Amino acid sequence: MLKVLKYKVAGHVFSIRVPDRIAGNRILSSYEPFRLPESDASEALFTLDVEIGELPKTGKLVQLCNDEPPYLWIFRPAEDSGSLDSFCFGYSFDKEAPKGIVRFENGDDWSHGLLTIGNHCPFSIADSCMNNTMMLMYAYNTGWHDTLMLHASAPMVDGRGYIFMAKSGTGKSTHSQMWMD
């Protein structure tokens, strides 16, 4: 059974369908302020389906991105995946192998993705896989709607906004809180 969670960020509605067995956990906690009530009938700009199971075949590795975790894997799809004109992506915290793989149903149409999280994957890694896939899909799908996604912290101090942009874990939120204090 799947649970549907809907969110609205910068005016764009998107949804994620997750198995009940992980929906009860605190998945995507950073998205909680943007969560819509279950009764909301807004149409989603894009949807991500999540499943737990054996990872699909990925095909040829094109690139392993990032110098430190989390890692983004970019693959050319396997010949038997049904889509040779698109890529699939993997996520991990080590360089051994991805722990989650996302594929897109219709090649270049990123309005529907399927994220497979490997069996026995720890919850924190599964949550990271979902979060990274949602950000990837959000950036791609909202760019066509005059929206730019930034990974930043933006405190308002004395009527002015200050944007701190940097890699995850750098201290953007800590810096912002110091300014606020």
Side-chain angles (χ1 to χ4, degrees), residues 68 151 164-175:
E68 57 191 40
H151 182 86
F164 295 101
M165 293 175 48
K167 287 176 120 178
S168 293
T170 302
K172 298 177 300 294
S173 298
T174 301
H175 225 63

Side-chain angles (χ1 to χ4, degrees), residues 7-21:
Y7 302 92
K8 187 174 189 177
V9 175
H12 303 294
V13 175
F14 54 94
S15 65
I16 181 169
R17 294 186 285 218
V18 295
D20 282 338
R21 71 183 200 183

Side-chain angles (χ1 to χ4, degrees), residues 4 6 15 25 38 43 45 47 55 58-59 64 74 84 92 94 109 111-112 119 121 130 153 171:
V4 178
K6 277 187 171 178
S15 65
N25 293 315
E38 289 183 29
E43 186 175 337
L45 181 60
T47 299
L55 294 179
T58 54
L64 177 59
I74 304 173
L84 293 176
S92 70
D94 60 50
D109 175 9
S111 62
H112 182 251
N119 291 318
C121 181
M130 289 183 278
S153 179

